[in-house]
Amino acid sequence: MSAGSYQSPISPGRSWYEDSAGERPRYPRLDGSIEVDTLIVGGGFTGLSAALHLAGRGVRVALLEAARLGDGASGRNGGQFGTGQRQWPEDLEREVGLERSRALFAMTEDAKTHLHEMMAAHGIEADYRPGQLSLAHKRRYVESYRRHAEILTERYAYPHARFLGREETEARLGSPQYHAGVLDTGTGHLHPMKLLIGTGRAAARAGAALHEETPVTRLHRRGAAIEAETPFGTVRAERALMAVNAHGEGLSRANAAHVMPIRSFIAATEPLAEPDRVLPGGEAADDSRFVVRYFRKTPDNRLLFGGREAYSSAEGDIVGQIRRQVVSIYPHLADVGFTHAWGGSVGVTMPRMPYVASPEAGLTVIGGFSGHGVLLSHYTGRLYAERVLGNQDRLAELESLRIPAFPGGSALRAPLLFLAMTWYALRDRF
């Protein structure tokens, strides 16, 4: 099968990332039964980061991925870092208090440092570009955006964010469709598939055994060990990390109850004829809609635009729906050609905060990054490694967050979520 003909079995469409990342290595299926110190289920950012940091310290690691590395959200997302947790820190303060909110914010700043240092240490070039615009799509949100920039500076000692009035927002965006914004120069965006490929190669060089196309059919305790059954053999380990995020519902009731898979879609245009009319400063952008729109330019001046309002497994007309959203912001792109359109499943939680849990001895579950995973998922893999190695347990800060289960159980939660998302999508328009 040629590189260009591969279609992910878990995610619709072929992404621009796949066609621009260079060689995408293949890793063998599991062949027979093995014993290791740590088993990792899931080959996204969390699992690969954990494998890298553990194997680099001499821990015997086996990672099992049901599809190929990068087929899930880690290789197909919007590529935006963001700042802080998924919730704004002033919103977190009301739930956890100022001191703890500051600790959670500091954690994400360390996550930025970790990613840059990790990429430099392993020679990973992932097309990082600085700058993020967060945009208010309703006039009544303007003051909250102004206050948000002030709070970041005054209460969180973050000097990189400043409020933009309407005129400067229009100039930096290249469109008059938003009322205000916040410019954040302390964050940025990158090519997620290049980051994932580089992390996988680094983990393999460190000695981690990476196995693609090896689905885990059952994960259970057998005596003192945790055992993963696959069609090609079993893996026995002292401990296991389940890092499947929006996938693998049948493996863990805890993950299925707390992390809901929803579909997100992105399309890529052909290189723009007048690239300076769109995000002339090269920042990424996201907006205040509950069904968020997120977009940025690539190094070759394509527009990558995500935000289709769809919360089911159906693909439908990805390009048509994305085009309508693009044209609502940039009317001059009404006739632009699209070269790629793709989707994938994002793991979300009720409060839009990460889900970290230890449902049984030796088993850790990490997921539910709720659209903020480029920054946090890679980092939590490192934190898991720290816990295993006994260095420190910063993962406990996330594990102690209150993440309620979705209502309705397995039968009703998807219909309830669809109704809720439909309501919020309508509210975004009015």
Side-chain angles (χ1 to χ4, degrees), residues 14 33 88 144 193 197 211 284 359 401:
R14 184 168 176 85
S33 297
W88 279 2
S144 66
M193 183 66 86
I197 289 172
H211 297 287
L401 291 170

Side-chain angles (χ1 to χ4, degrees), residues 89 92-107 155-156 397:
L92 272 177
E93 285 178 26
R94 291 191 285 271
E95 180 180 346
V96 303
L98 177 59
E99 182 178 354
R100 191 166 180 208
S101 180
R102 281 175 170 165
L104 289 166
F105 186 86
M107 178 180 285
R155 296 213 288 268
Y156 292 85
E397 181 69 45

Side-chain angles (χ1 to χ4, degrees), residues 18-95:
E18 291 174 273
D19 287 335
S20 60
E23 181 189 0
R24 185 180 175 192
R26 281 192 177 272
Y27 297 94
R29 291 174 174 170
L30 182 68
D31 183 13
S33 297
I34 60 174
E35 291 192 15
V36 294
D37 301 316
T38 301
L39 162 68
I40 298 172
V41 183
F45 286 147
T46 304
L48 287 172
S49 176
L52 167 62
H53 288 94
L54 287 171
R57 293 292 299 276
V59 177
R60 295 179 303 156
V61 178
L63 181 149
L64 306 180
E65 165 58 45
R68 290 186 63 191
L69 304 185
D71 277 4
S74 293
R76 302 169 71 85
N77 61 72
Q80 301 185 20
F81 272 29
T83 288
Q85 301 285 341
R86 178 65 172 81
Q87 290 190 38
W88 279 2
E90 55 266 42
D91 297 328
L92 272 177
E93 285 178 26
R94 291 191 285 271
E95 180 180 346

Side-chain angles (χ1 to χ4, degrees), residues 181-333:
V182 171
L183 171 64
D184 186 348
T185 58
T187 188
H189 52 102
L190 49 62
H191 191 303
M193 183 66 86
K194 288 185 177 181
L195 173 59
L196 184 132
I197 289 172
T199 306
R201 284 177 169 151
R205 286 195 300 267
L210 308 181
H211 297 287
E212 294 182 316
E213 299 178 312
T214 305
V216 175
T217 55
R218 186 183 178 208
L219 188 66
H220 61 105
R221 177 163 291 283
R222 184 183 292 274
I226 292 179
E227 186 172 277
E229 298 178 5
T230 82
F232 314 111
T234 62
V235 178
R236 288 173 58 85
E238 177 183 343
R239 68 190 72 86
L241 168 62
M242 185 173 173
V244 295
N245 200 23
H247 300 280
E249 286 193 9
L251 296 179
S252 167
R253 291 182 179 179
N255 189 77
H258 293 84
V259 179
M260 168 73 78
I262 64 173
R263 287 295 207 189
S264 186
F265 298 89
I266 305 176
T269 71
E270 61 193 5
L272 301 177
E274 300 176 283
D276 288 344
R277 294 182 65 183
V278 174
L279 295 166
E283 301 93 352
D286 68 275
D287 73 10
S288 56
R289 289 173 170 85
F290 187 87
V291 184
V292 65
R293 296 179 181 179
Y294 51 98
F295 47 101
R296 63 193 183 94
K297 286 189 305 190
T298 64
D300 64 347
N301 289 315
R302 300 169 188 270
L303 177 63
L304 299 188
F305 195 101
R308 172 185 162 188
E309 297 173 358
Y311 288 84
S312 71
S313 61
E315 294 180 43
D317 180 12
I318 298 175
V319 167
Q321 295 190 46
I322 293 292
R323 181 188 295 278
R324 285 192 287 274
Q325 295 185 12
V326 169
V327 172
S328 72
I329 302 171
Y330 299 110
H332 72 281
L333 296 181

Side-chain angles (χ1 to χ4, degrees), residues 103-426:
L104 289 166
F105 186 86
M107 178 180 285
T108 62
E109 285 302 285
D110 190 56
K112 290 179 186 175
T113 301
H114 152 71
L115 262 179
H116 287 296
E117 290 180 348
M118 189 278 301
M119 287 190 290
H122 296 283
I124 300 172
E125 174 50 59
D127 301 339
Y128 179 81
R129 300 180 73 179
Q132 179 86 25
L133 289 173
S134 293
L135 305 163
H137 84 289
K138 291 184 178 181
R139 192 183 307 275
R140 67 174 181 265
Y141 295 162
V142 171
E143 286 308 309
S144 66
Y145 270 62
R146 186 192 308 275
R147 185 61 184 144
H148 176 60
E150 293 172 352
I151 287 170
L152 287 175
T153 301
E154 296 168 1
R155 296 213 288 268
Y156 292 85
Y158 186 75
H160 307 297
R162 67 178 180 88
F163 176 77
L164 304 179
R166 181 157 197 160
E167 184 174 332
E168 189 173 2
T169 298
E170 179 177 346
R172 287 191 171 272
L173 182 64
S175 169
Q177 294 304 310
Y178 289 88
H179 297 278
V182 171
L183 171 64
D184 186 348
T185 58
T187 188
H189 52 102
L190 49 62
H191 191 303
M193 183 66 86
K194 288 185 177 181
L195 173 59
L196 184 132
I197 289 172
T199 306
R201 284 177 169 151
R205 286 195 300 267
L210 308 181
H211 297 287
E212 294 182 316
E213 299 178 312
T214 305
V216 175
T217 55
R218 186 183 178 208
L219 188 66
H220 61 105
R221 177 163 291 283
R222 184 183 292 274
I226 292 179
E227 186 172 277
E229 298 178 5
T230 82
F232 314 111
T234 62
V235 178
R236 288 173 58 85
E238 177 183 343
R239 68 190 72 86
L241 168 62
M242 185 173 173
V244 295
N245 200 23
H247 300 280
E249 286 193 9
L251 296 179
S252 167
R253 291 182 179 179
N255 189 77
H258 293 84
V259 179
M260 168 73 78
I262 64 173
R263 287 295 207 189
S264 186
F265 298 89
I266 305 176
T269 71
E270 61 193 5
L272 301 177
E274 300 176 283
D276 288 344
R277 294 182 65 183
V278 174
L279 295 166
E283 301 93 352
D286 68 275
D287 73 10
S288 56
R289 289 173 170 85
F290 187 87
V291 184
V292 65
R293 296 179 181 179
Y294 51 98
F295 47 101
R296 63 193 183 94
K297 286 189 305 190
T298 64
D300 64 347
N301 289 315
R302 300 169 188 270
L303 177 63
L304 299 188
F305 195 101
R308 172 185 162 188
E309 297 173 358
Y311 288 84
S312 71
S313 61
E315 294 180 43
D317 180 12
I318 298 175
V319 167
Q321 295 190 46
I322 293 292
R323 181 188 295 278
R324 285 192 287 274
Q325 295 185 12
V326 169
V327 172
S328 72
I329 302 171
Y330 299 110
H332 72 281
L333 296 181
D335 296 323
V336 71
F338 285 82
T339 59
H340 297 76
W342 68 96
S345 294
V346 179
V348 302
T349 64
M350 287 280 285
R352 300 298 189 267
M353 294 291 286
Y355 176 63
V356 179
S358 301
E360 61 180 85
L363 176 63
T364 300
V365 177
I366 301 177
F369 297 102
S370 305
H372 209 49
V374 176
L375 186 64
L376 292 177
S377 61
H378 215 286
Y379 185 65
T380 54
R382 172 190 167 183
L383 298 189
Y384 174 77
E386 289 179 356
R387 169 181 282 185
V388 170
L389 294 166
N391 297 338
Q392 53 186 326
D393 193 7
R394 292 184 292 172
L395 195 63
E397 181 69 45
L398 295 175
E399 193 166 19
S400 63
L401 291 170
R402 190 179 70 85
I403 309 295
F406 281 90
S410 58
L412 293 178
R413 67 176 192 157
L416 288 174
L417 181 69
F418 178 80
L419 290 173
M421 292 300 182
T422 301
W423 161 252
Y424 280 113
L426 289 171

